[in-house]
Amino acid sequence: MAYNAVNVASNIINNMHEKNLPLDHIKLQKLLYFFAVEYFKLNENFPFKQQIEKWKLGPVVRDVYNEYKFKGSSSIESPTVQFTFEDGIFKTSKIKSEELTYADEALLNEIIDKYGVLNSFRLVDITHEEDVWKEAKSKIEKREENLFYTNEDFNRIIGSTVNGE
């Protein structure tokens, strides 16, 4: 089952708000990434329809970036509002949370409890400590496009965390 990362971002935003934890764009991206790694460890596939890219500040889901980039470094308090045009009327609604399975919801809560309390740039540092990111650093700095995390990358990341490296 592949989830829409933009909707999972809404789950994270709502959960962080309920726990009164600060959330900015960078932390949102890293929480999505850590969820993806743990999900991959359990299911051997990616949780999202969208790919995760290697950017200067670590992993990024471009669709989520595009949805929340207007916030800059400001706090994200609630999911963004979408505008639709139905029956000749403009309507607004917040982006809905994803309906996660019970196990995936529990996993997301674990990720938020573990990483949501950390500073955004500490989360960036954690992702920059991974060999997969280090090996792509020169390409990232040259602003090369389409630097996506692969199954092999995730297997290496999981292997290094399992072995305690």
Side-chain angles (χ1 to χ4, degrees):
M1 168 187 308
Y3 297 121
N4 183 325
V6 174
N7 296 98
V8 175
S10 290
N11 294 63
I12 292 170
I13 293 165
N14 291 328
N15 191 316
M16 293 287 287
H17 185 72
E18 287 172 15
K19 294 179 179 184
N20 202 28
L21 293 170
L23 180 68
D24 60 23
H25 190 59
I26 293 170
K27 187 182 281 191
L28 177 59
Q29 291 288 347
K30 301 317 159 246
L31 292 173
L32 284 167
Y33 169 74
F34 293 128
F35 172 74
V37 170
E38 292 302 317
Y39 182 96
F40 189 91
K41 185 188 296 186
L42 296 170
N43 299 287
E44 298 180 356
N45 60 10
F46 282 102
F48 308 130
K49 296 174 185 173
Q50 302 90 335
Q51 292 182 288
I52 301 174
E53 299 180 47
K54 299 169 188 170
W55 285 19
K56 184 176 181 179
L57 294 179
V60 170
V61 178
R62 187 178 296 267
D63 286 354
V64 175
Y65 171 81
N66 289 335
E67 194 63 46
Y68 291 96
K69 67 183 174 186
F70 74 95
K71 296 296 283 181
S73 61
S74 299
S75 179
I76 300 173
E77 303 293 329
S78 65
T80 58
V81 173
Q82 292 181 318
F83 296 93
T84 56
F85 188 74
E86 297 175 26
D87 301 323
I89 300 170
F90 280 106
K91 297 181 180 183
T92 61
S93 62
K94 288 184 180 178
I95 294 176
K96 294 181 180 168
S97 294
E98 187 70 60
E99 290 192 30
L100 302 172
T101 66
Y102 179 80
D104 294 344
E105 183 74 36
L107 178 62
L108 185 61
N109 286 329
E110 286 177 30
I111 296 300
I112 290 170
D113 289 343
K114 181 175 181 179
Y115 295 105
V117 296
L118 300 176
N119 174 286
S120 297
F121 287 99
R122 176 64 190 121
L123 299 178
V124 170
D125 290 343
I126 291 169
T127 63
H128 284 185
E129 291 167 6
E130 297 171 345
D131 288 339
V132 168
W133 190 89
K134 288 178 188 177
E135 291 164 7
K137 185 177 179 181
S138 64
K139 291 179 180 180
I140 293 166
E141 289 174 346
K142 292 176 189 171
R143 296 182 177 261
E144 288 189 27
E145 295 284 321
N146 302 317
L147 298 173
F148 298 108
Y149 282 86
T150 64
N151 287 357
E152 181 183 325
D153 289 339
F154 268 40
N155 280 320
R156 288 180 58 214
I157 291 163
I158 290 165
S160 68
T161 58
V162 169
N163 297 325
E165 295 176 4

